[in-house]
Amino acid sequence: GLQGRRGHRALGGGKRKGAIARLLPTVTAAGGLAASFLSPPRPNLEGLLAGSSYGGVLTSDPGGSSAASNSTDVFVRGTDSGIWQIHFTSGVAGPWTPLGGVLTSDPTSVANGARTDVFARGGDNGIYQKTWSGTSWGPWHGLGGGFAASSGPDADHRAAGSVDIFARGTDNGLWHTWSDDNGDTFAAWESLAAGQTLTSDPAADSWAGGTHLDVYARGTDNSPPPRWRDLGSGGRSWEPLGGGPSPSPGAPCGAIGHIGDVVRGADGG
């Protein structure tokens, strides 16, 4: 069942695109799911934006995606270490649905048309995937890799048919795999560490019509999270940001051509 704890994490649509990009899910004192309002309301999400509690009790931060303008899926890990889903249609919540698995991290998800993919770290520290085809859920299957025991993956859908997954490895470097066939197959994991040591989960977001992709994480000295940036034909590189954040960053999408990084500072603000 659902029992547990936990705090804030920004949800993304497609992953961080669409309706769900406007929400910051929170967990109530009892451990249930609630949603807080971040930006001007959209009529079809009135139920979510009201800050209502949706019950359950969680053992992870939530992850979510939006497959359509009136549809939102939120995923959490329960006390059974399996993933649970709650689906919203026009802001109305359905029941909690168990998706099984034995997972050891926060889930992340992306939606691409009628399809939704959920990813999380398994007991062997590899990444696992479960897919909603539009009519039914497939089984959990492994994507390999070996990742830090305290970390979870982040996924982004930047263009039709594409999925990028990022995770912090046992070397505390950034690792990446991707799919160009809608998540049916993935490339071998590649290291993007380039001398960077991470101390948080990565947070990825695409922009400029999916041609650009940014990944944020916290560095070793509590310094600004370095940002790994893929500018398509402009190349890929790490960039320092500045500041003094503390926990894992989130990277919600803003207006077209704009992107922001959201973190909690050492002062708690």
Side-chain angles (χ1 to χ4, degrees):
L2 299 177
Q3 298 270 339
R5 58 169 172 84
R6 292 276 279 199
H8 302 283
R9 178 168 181 158
L11 288 185
K15 193 196 73 165
R16 292 186 171 89
K17 304 171 182 67
I20 203 163
R22 307 298 193 260
L23 301 178
L24 182 69
T26 65
V27 175
T28 67
L33 182 69
S36 297
F37 178 50
L38 275 187
S39 68
R42 300 179 71 169
N44 60 331
L45 288 177
E46 288 175 357
L48 284 177
L49 300 179
S52 302
S53 173
Y54 301 113
V57 212
L58 312 111
T59 62
S60 76
D61 289 347
S65 55
S66 181
S69 61
N70 69 337
S71 173
T72 298
D73 290 283
V74 177
F75 303 92
V76 301
R77 189 181 68 233
T79 48
D80 57 358
S81 296
I83 297 299
W84 290 69
Q85 172 199 24
I86 187 169
H87 178 77
F88 296 85
T89 302
S90 298
V92 178
W96 285 102
T97 302
L99 301 184
V102 179
L103 290 314
T104 56
S105 77
D106 300 342
T108 183
S109 72
V110 294
N112 193 351
R115 173 176 174 146
T116 298
D117 289 276
V118 183
F119 305 93
R121 191 185 70 246
D124 60 357
N125 291 329
I127 301 301
Y128 283 77
Q129 173 190 23
K130 190 177 183 72
T131 300
W132 171 259
S133 66
T135 57
S136 62
W137 284 103
W140 285 100
H141 68 276
L143 301 180
F147 299 96
S150 60
S151 73
D154 199 27
D156 191 85
H157 157 56
R158 57 166 140 176
S162 75
V163 180
D164 289 270
I165 305 174
F166 299 89
R168 178 164 58 96
T170 53
D171 59 355
N172 290 318
L174 181 65
W175 287 77
H176 172 231
T177 185
W178 68 96
S179 171
D180 292 322
D181 58 8
N182 217 22
D184 288 341
T185 61
F186 281 84
W189 288 93
E190 63 171 347
S191 172
L192 303 177
Q196 296 287 344
T197 299
L198 310 183
T199 58
S200 76
D201 295 350
D205 200 13
S206 57
W207 52 288
T211 61
H212 293 33
L213 178 67
D214 288 345
V215 182
Y216 299 85
R218 187 180 64 235
T220 55
D221 54 359
N222 235 20
S223 70
R227 172 176 61 191
W228 181 83
R229 171 162 278 189
D230 182 348
L231 297 179
S233 60
R236 309 194 302 179
S237 64
W238 283 93
E239 299 177 356
L241 289 182
S246 182
S248 301
C253 184
I256 295 174
H258 296 78
I259 188 169
D261 184 30
V262 180
V263 298
R264 187 179 76 214
D267 63 355

